[in-house]
Amino acid sequence: MKPIQNELQKQMDAKFQERLQSIQEELLKDPVIQQFFKDNEGAITRSVLERGLGKLYEFKNQQQDCSQCPSVQQCVNTINGFTPKLSLTRGLIDLEYTPCQQKRIEDERRHTEKMIASMHMPKDVLRATLSDVRVYSEDRENLLQAAQNFVDQVKQTGELPRKGFYLYGDFGVGKSFLIGAIANELAALQIQSVVVYVPEFLRELKNAIGTPQLEEKFDFVKKAPVLMLDDLGAEQLSEWTRDEILGSILHYRMAEQLPTFITSNLDYSGLEVFFTQTTRGGQDPIKAKRIMERIKAITEPIQVEGLNLRDLT
């Protein structure tokens, strides 16, 4: 009976070794693992490899590219929102986990939403990219190219351009969608964009008058690395919101050369007329011109033409 048991054990050991060898060969075909071995050539011996097979297997069966991941909550990795990176620690193969791109974006967005309730990012642009922008005319192609050039400049130089865009045009032509797409492209480069819906943002600041949150919210928006003011010219204007809030934000960003994006249904001339008038029925063309000079100094005007995309959905 003993020889039979020994033979069975030998067969089981052989199958195990065969399976182990197959797993090892499969792991070593992975280009990232191959590069890790190349980077640590001479330090990874046969013994180190065999002892590290478990870590290599754990690495291979996780997702290193989060571009297709819908959310951190649906992450398939061992630790939600973190991607593994191979390391060699004290002669042993190990894994280090770092926040993935999607987690960084979601964390930044939550921080912004905590600071600014009027942070404006509609559901249809939460994951929008420039490749999602509809192009059906030469004007739309030029618009997309301008946005792509902005993002490419950041990628190539590592620095933000001094000017953003002043996007103006009719309702529903995709102005908000475009700034949302740019914001997401920048988020992928670990650059924070604060996107606020101007009418709601000004109401929020009015409600914060007399509280410490007023200055905190105001500074958060004013000093944002990239600021996007959505639907400027749709708000109910007062001297305080025009001069103390919008005027101060725009002056600071002009002085600090921080890129600012603005969307509006009004062109430069129409917006100047809008800023001339106040809720008290007065006219102040000098202050309106002063604000417009700041806007012109920090934005490039681009007319957004096309179909009302809201009617097509």
Side-chain angles (χ1 to χ4, degrees):
M1 191 71 180
K2 205 168 205 179
I4 296 176
Q5 288 179 335
N6 290 342
E7 185 61 31
L8 287 173
Q9 185 64 46
K10 286 179 182 178
Q11 290 181 19
M12 290 173 63
D13 289 345
K15 287 182 179 179
F16 175 77
Q17 290 299 326
E18 183 180 338
R19 176 61 181 153
L20 189 63
Q21 183 66 27
S22 174
I23 291 174
Q24 182 175 314
E25 290 174 358
E26 182 183 346
L27 290 173
L28 295 180
K29 289 178 183 177
D30 185 289
V32 180
I33 293 177
Q34 288 180 358
Q35 185 61 48
F36 172 71
F37 274 59
K38 184 178 179 181
D39 293 341
N40 294 278
E41 190 174 359
I44 300 180
T45 63
R46 184 75 188 177
S47 173
V48 171
L49 169 60
E50 290 175 350
R51 293 166 68 185
L53 280 177
K55 292 295 184 181
L56 293 175
Y57 189 76
E58 182 182 344
F59 174 82
K60 181 74 169 62
N61 285 276
Q62 294 191 75
Q63 191 167 269
Q64 287 95 51
D65 177 14
C66 294
S67 60
Q68 302 303 315
C69 185
S71 68
V72 170
Q73 190 175 8
Q74 295 171 276
C75 178
V76 298
N77 285 353
T78 303
I79 306 176
N80 277 23
F82 288 78
T83 53
K85 181 182 178 182
L86 288 166
S87 65
L88 194 62
T89 307
R90 294 189 293 275
L92 295 174
I93 295 173
D94 204 354
L95 293 181
E96 298 174 355
Y97 284 87
T98 57
C100 68
Q101 173 183 313
Q102 185 63 27
K103 178 173 172 56
R104 290 195 302 269
I105 291 173
E106 291 185 19
D107 286 349
E108 197 65 65
R109 189 169 290 146
R110 275 193 293 272
H111 175 60
T112 303
E113 288 173 339
K114 183 179 178 181
M115 291 296 300
I116 303 295
S118 55
M119 182 265 189
H120 180 55
M121 188 68 78
K123 289 182 179 180
D124 63 335
V125 302
L126 280 174
R127 290 186 60 82
T129 63
L130 292 178
S131 61
D132 299 319
V133 176
R134 297 190 189 185
V135 176
Y136 46 79
S137 67
E138 186 177 350
D139 287 339
R140 300 284 294 190
E141 180 67 39
N142 293 337
L143 173 65
L144 179 59
Q145 189 59 57
Q148 189 63 63
N149 289 344
F150 184 94
V151 175
D152 288 345
Q153 186 172 338
V154 178
K155 290 179 180 178
Q156 293 164 10
T157 67
E159 297 181 357
L160 287 163
R162 296 177 180 179
K163 284 190 175 186
F165 304 149
Y166 180 85
L167 304 174
Y168 65 97
D170 292 335
F171 296 99
V173 293
K175 302 184 298 294
S176 300
F177 189 90
L178 182 66
I179 63 170
I182 294 173
N184 284 333
E185 297 279 359
L186 294 176
L189 301 175
Q190 300 185 46
I191 296 173
Q192 180 195 27
S193 299
V194 174
V195 189
V196 294
Y197 178 57
V198 175
E200 192 60 38
F201 170 62
L202 295 180
R203 278 193 290 271
E204 184 178 342
L205 290 189
K206 286 180 182 178
N207 292 334
I209 291 176
T211 71
Q213 284 74 42
L214 176 61
E215 192 68 27
E216 189 178 16
K217 292 173 184 288
F218 177 72
D219 280 348
F220 183 76
V221 170
K222 182 178 73 173
K223 298 177 181 179
V226 178
L227 177 61
M228 298 183 173
L229 300 173
D230 191 28
D231 216 2
L232 184 62
E235 68 277 6
Q236 190 176 31
L237 203 63
S238 69
E239 287 87 346
W240 181 73
T241 54
R242 181 192 63 191
D243 303 334
E244 301 302 323
I245 301 302
L246 291 175
S248 296
I249 288 173
L250 295 169
H251 177 75
Y252 179 87
R253 300 191 69 79
M254 178 182 70
E256 295 298 320
Q257 298 181 340
L258 296 172
T260 306
F261 291 78
I262 298 172
T263 75
S264 180
N265 297 126
L266 307 170
D267 60 13
Y268 277 166
S269 299
L271 190 64
E272 183 169 344
V273 172
F274 171 78
F275 281 138
T276 301
Q277 305 165 11
T278 66
T279 51
R280 296 180 182 178
Q283 300 280 326
D284 200 333
I286 301 300
K287 288 186 177 179
K289 188 173 291 294
R290 185 177 297 131
I291 288 182
M292 287 309 305
E293 287 304 311
R294 293 166 182 165
I295 290 176
K296 291 175 181 178
I298 60 177
T299 62
E300 294 286 350
I302 301 176
Q303 184 173 9
V304 183
E305 298 181 300
L307 306 171
N308 188 331
L309 301 178
R310 294 169 189 165
D311 293 339
L312 301 178
T313 56

